[in-house]
Structure formats: structure tokens, C-alpha cells
């Protein structure tokens, strides 16, 4: 049952990526929506889960929040190091905005890892009971549309070829199926899973705040772009609320 539900997540992820491709003539709206979806996922989904799973304190601060900050700083550090390395080589490997394609691929790979954890969550929930499995499955399948949308958008934003963006999209779609199937053989400790979610949340917030949203408003600073961002956050809130 868990793998069958994960196939629904597979299709929903592909639908999100397909949507991101089809609205290229409204790129500022796509980026605004992607930024809102990412912000909503981090603040309303990833962080609460991370705090619940890895809430032990380290010197007065929850471990999940420390890893969240570490993820944000790590993403910033990696981007700066890549930019400096490519500037030293004449910047021939950056896009028109000076972005390193490797950053986009790394971010997309993190999205794939997150989707695999979604599949693990589905499998683990069905082990607890059918009701729990159905609730988790609803949340995962609904927000995998946003995952597919964001995976394709992030990969493309950093100057990667369409073929690479599609490859990462397909990997992101397949990840929940593999994650769900793995629960028949492997159980991930809750604390480790919570730490991963905190770290990934920090990376995702950096990309949304430092790259996606500034680019959206730089290209077309319209009210409609802001409305798309708000709509993205509200959509994730709706998904989380329905799952709860």
C-alpha cells in the first residue's frame, strides 16, 4: 500500500515539474510561487517535524534549530566558494547572473533526498496504522506537486540545461517510491531524520530568500509576483492543515 501511494507522489511530482516548464513566459510568477512554496514548506512543514523528531537541546538551543542555521550557512558558504572559484577561472562556468550551475544541481539533489524521506515517512506511517498512513500520504502527495515545481525551477534558475533539469525532476519523482519501498528493510532513527530535516530546511530557506525571491522581483516587481508568493505559502498551509 505504501509503495502504491508513493506512485501517486511520483505522478504529482512530474505534474509540478511539467507546470513549471509550461509557464516560462510568466517566469517572474513561477519564481514568486516557487519562493512561497519553499517558504511554506520550511516554516510550516519541515521545521515543526524537525523539532518534534530532534528536539533535544544543545547548550540551550534545540538541535534541529542549530542544524537549521547550519544548513543556511552551509548553503551560503558553498555558493560563495563556488562563485570565488569560478571567478578565479574567468567566470566562464557561471550563467548570465553569475550563478554556479553546481549550486542548482546540489539544491535539486537535496530536494531528491527530501522526497526520499517523504517516501520513508509514508512507509513508516503505514506500519503504525492505516489511518496514520492515509494522513501522511495525503500531505506527501499534495506537497510533492510543489517539490516537482521547485526542483525544476531551481535547477533551471542556476543555468543548467533543460536535460539536466528534467533528469533531476525524474529523480525527485522516483525518490518517494524508493523511500517507501526501503521501509520494508531499513528503519531510520527519528533523531537522525529530524536532524536531516532541520539541515535541509536551512538550505531551502537560503535558496528561497537569497536567490528565488530576489530574482522574481528583480525581473518583474509586480503585485502579482507578491500575490503568487503569498499563494504558495497559503497552499502549503492548506496541505499541512488537511494532513493534520
Amino acid at each position: 500500500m505504501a509503495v502504491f501511494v508513493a506512485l501517486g507522489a511520483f505522478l504529482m511530482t512530474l505534474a509540478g515539474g511539467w507546470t513549471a516548464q509550461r509557464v516560462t513566459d510568466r517566469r517572474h510568477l513561477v519564481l514568486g510561487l516557487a519562493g512561497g512554496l519553499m517558504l511554506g514548506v520550511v516554516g510550516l512543514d519541515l521545521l515543526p517535524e524537525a523539532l518534534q523528531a530532534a528536539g533535544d537541546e544543545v547548550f540551550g538551543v534545540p538541535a534541529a534549530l542549530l542544524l537549521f542555521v547550519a544548513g543556511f550557512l552551509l548553503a551560503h558558504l558553498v555558493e560563495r566558494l563556488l562563485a570565488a572559484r569560478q571567478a578565479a577561472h574567468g567566470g566562464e562556468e557561471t550563467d548570465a547572473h553569475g550563478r554556479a550551475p553546481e549550486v542548482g544541481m546540489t539544491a535539486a539533489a537535496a530536494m531528491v533526498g527530501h522526497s526520499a524521506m517523504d517516501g520513508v515517512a509514508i512507509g513508516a506511517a503505514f506500519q503504525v496504522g492505516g489511518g496514520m498512513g492515509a494522513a501522511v500520504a495525503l500531505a506527501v502527495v499534495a506537497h510533492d506537486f510543489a517539490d516537482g515545481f521547485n526542483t525544476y525551477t531551481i535547477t533551471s534558475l542556476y543555468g543548467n540545461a533543460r536535460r539536466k533539469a528534467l533528469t533531476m525532476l525524474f529523480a525527485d519523482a522516483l525518490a518517494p517510491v524508493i523511500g517507501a519501498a526501503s521501509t520494508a528493510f531499513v528503519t531510520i532513527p527519528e533523531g537522525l531524520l529530524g536532524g536531516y530535516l532541520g539541515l535541509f530546511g536551512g538550505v531551502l530557506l537560503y535558496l528561497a530568500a537569497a536567490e528565488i525571491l530576489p530574482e522574481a522581483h528583480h525581473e518583474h516587481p509586480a503585485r502579482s509576483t507578491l500575490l503568487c508568493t503569498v499563494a504558495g505559502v497559503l497552499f502549503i498551509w492548506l496541505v499541512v492543515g488537511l494532513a493534520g
Side-chain angles (χ1 to χ4, degrees):
M1 177 61 73
V3 175
F4 179 75
V5 171
L7 288 174
F10 173 87
L11 296 175
M12 191 64 77
T13 302
L14 292 181
W18 180 84
T19 301
Q21 292 180 69
R22 301 297 294 179
V23 290
T24 51
D25 58 329
R26 295 286 186 269
R27 189 166 179 266
H28 61 287
L29 299 180
V30 171
L31 293 174
L33 179 62
L37 291 172
M38 291 165 73
L39 178 59
V41 167
V42 171
L44 307 178
D45 186 19
L46 292 181
L47 269 184
E49 288 186 26
L51 286 168
Q52 183 177 0
D56 293 341
E57 292 190 354
V58 178
F59 204 64
V61 178
L65 289 183
L66 287 174
L67 287 166
F68 172 75
V69 174
F72 189 97
L73 293 175
L74 178 64
H76 179 59
L77 177 63
V78 168
E79 186 178 45
R80 291 300 88 207
L81 287 176
L82 284 172
R85 179 178 68 82
Q86 287 160 354
H89 289 81
E92 65 276 6
E93 296 178 7
T94 59
D95 69 358
H97 298 277
R99 297 191 183 91
E102 294 93 336
V103 174
M105 293 297 290
T106 301
M111 295 292 294
V112 172
H114 171 54
S115 293
M117 292 300 102
D118 282 346
V120 171
I122 292 175
F126 272 103
Q127 289 177 4
V128 173
M132 174 68 75
V136 172
L138 173 64
V140 169
V141 171
H143 94 246
D144 269 358
F145 178 88
D147 284 353
F149 190 98
N150 290 336
T151 298
Y152 186 88
T153 301
I154 289 172
T155 310
S156 302
L157 179 66
Y158 280 83
N160 290 286
R162 182 173 180 269
R163 176 178 56 82
K164 288 186 177 181
L166 290 175
T167 298
M168 296 309 295
L169 173 63
F170 185 78
D172 189 52
L174 194 60
V177 181
I178 296 174
S182 72
T183 58
F185 312 101
V186 179
T187 300
I188 299 178
E190 186 179 26
L192 182 62
L193 178 60
Y196 167 79
L197 292 177
L199 187 71
F200 175 66
V203 172
L204 209 58
L205 181 63
Y206 177 81
L207 293 173
E211 297 293 339
I212 303 291
L213 290 176
E215 179 71 11
H217 291 281
H218 171 73
E219 284 200 345
H220 202 295
R223 216 177 318 181
S224 55
T225 306
L226 178 60
L227 289 175
C228 282
T229 302
V230 174
V233 175
L234 292 177
F235 173 76
I236 298 299
W237 187 14
L238 176 64
V239 169
V240 172
L242 289 175

